[in-house]
Amino acid sequence: MPGLSEKDLQYFKQRLQKRREELRAIIHAELVSSQQEDFTKLAGEVHDAGDESFAELLRGIKLATHARELEEIQDVEASLERIRNGTYGTCVECGDHIVYERFDAYPTAKRCMTCQSRHENRRGGRDATPSL
């Protein structure tokens, strides 16, 4: 199975670099915004338990969003490093080529579909082979 061409690598490199810049801008804007919105302070100022719970929920949502964006930027950086060292397009588990269509849908992919399925089954605590 053929790997990615040099043209493909450049295309994905540009997409990854663009996404990295988008994520940096989003994270920066959220950090600036979070300095203006202190949900902990808001929770302390309200006297209703429902309002306090809502303020904590908002704070939790913001933290989860930050974590997801930080994880994505780490994946983008790792993909750019794989491009630099010549391993982008190769599954980190089995060494097979990852198909173009997978990268087109998910440019930070590091596993082929077979290995990714196994990885997700292991992470979910499920056995790869269903049983009764």
Side-chain angles (χ1 to χ4, degrees):
M1 174 172 41
L4 297 172
S5 70
E6 188 60 37
K7 183 179 177 182
D8 294 336
L9 287 173
Q10 286 304 312
Y11 169 71
F12 290 118
K13 181 179 179 180
Q14 288 173 352
R15 278 185 63 187
L16 289 162
Q17 288 171 332
K18 180 180 179 195
R19 184 62 181 154
R20 177 179 58 191
E21 294 311 311
E22 290 170 350
L23 287 166
R24 284 179 177 172
I26 290 168
I27 291 168
H28 175 50
E30 287 175 350
L31 289 174
V32 168
S33 173
S34 70
Q35 291 174 352
Q36 296 169 356
E37 300 171 358
D38 187 351
F39 294 113
T40 305
K41 181 180 174 189
L42 174 64
E45 290 176 359
V46 295
H47 299 288
D48 180 273
D51 290 341
E52 188 172 334
S53 294
F54 183 70
E56 284 301 314
L57 173 68
L58 290 176
R59 186 172 165 273
I61 290 170
K62 275 193 139 348
L63 290 174
T65 301
H66 292 314
R68 192 172 46 251
E69 288 161 348
L70 289 172
E71 183 178 338
E72 184 179 354
I73 205 165
Q74 289 172 338
D75 288 345
V76 167
E77 291 293 347
S79 295
L80 289 168
E81 179 61 29
R82 287 193 301 278
I83 289 173
R84 282 190 291 277
N85 70 26
T87 60
Y88 186 82
T90 304
C91 178
V92 297
E93 290 191 15
C94 71
D96 284 348
H97 291 290
I98 301 172
V99 296
Y100 178 93
E101 292 78 13
R102 177 145 167 74
F103 282 117
D104 197 33
Y106 185 59
T108 58
K110 58 186 169 187
R111 294 179 189 87
C112 66
M113 285 301 297
T114 302
C115 291
Q116 184 63 36
S117 292
R118 265 187 261 145
H119 176 76
E120 289 173 5
N121 286 335
R122 284 191 306 261
R123 277 186 42 198
R126 298 180 305 265
D127 189 337
T129 308
S131 63
L132 295 175

